Amino acid sequence: MNRAFRFAAVGVVAVSLLAGGSAAAFAAPQELHSPAPIVATAPAAASLTAKASATTVNAWQEFRISGVAKGITAGTKVTVQQKQGVKWVSLPAQSPVNASGSYSVRVKLGLKGVNQLRIGAGSTVSPVVTVTVR
């Protein structure tokens, strides 16, 4: 009988300690370290640079426009655009952006005079490059 009483007493004490400890844990929660705030960074704005290998060429003479594409996925095609009047017209000269972000496009122009050109990839365009065709 003495043994049964001891087991019961130990059980009651254990249950009261567990219940009391958990009640205390819920009654007075400890302050936890809050994680560092998550800061969402905006994707880098896409940009293109452009430089012509020549500023003056003969009609239909090949030259290159090369540059760097930032924020544009490798493999994306860049297109040469020419200003005709007030409109920008895409020419059939294209080149993919390589893994390092650079590109180089071969261009031939037949329209004599000062030509304003730029590179476009989607809605991103480069600054204007001027090439004179003689």
Side-chain angles (χ1 to χ4, degrees):
M1 180 93 142
N2 198 7
R3 188 178 206 171
F5 181 71
R6 271 191 271 156
F7 281 128
V10 169
V12 169
V13 170
V15 169
S16 66
L17 284 175
L18 289 174
S22 64
F26 287 113
Q30 296 178 352
E31 185 175 322
L32 299 175
H33 295 288
S34 61
I38 298 173
V39 178
T41 58
S47 66
L48 289 165
T49 64
K51 183 176 182 181
S53 62
T55 56
T56 303
V57 295
N58 293 322
W60 304 112
Q61 179 184 348
E62 184 177 291
F63 66 97
R64 290 187 170 269
I65 297 177
S66 57
V68 177
K70 292 184 181 178
I72 296 175
T73 309
T76 302
K77 290 193 177 197
V78 294
T79 305
V80 177
Q81 297 176 348
Q82 180 183 42
K83 190 162 190 182
Q84 296 178 359
V86 293
K87 291 176 56 179
W88 286 97
V89 177
S90 293
L91 300 179
Q94 295 182 339
S95 178
V97 174
N98 66 23
S100 66
S102 62
Y103 66 88
S104 182
V105 185
R106 294 184 306 186
V107 183
K108 291 181 181 181
L109 297 174
L111 188 61
K112 292 187 178 183
V114 177
N115 288 272
Q116 292 182 342
L117 306 169
R118 69 182 186 185
I119 299 295
S123 62
T124 306
V125 293
S126 72
V128 174
V129 174
T130 304
V131 176
T132 303
V133 178
R134 294 185 264 167

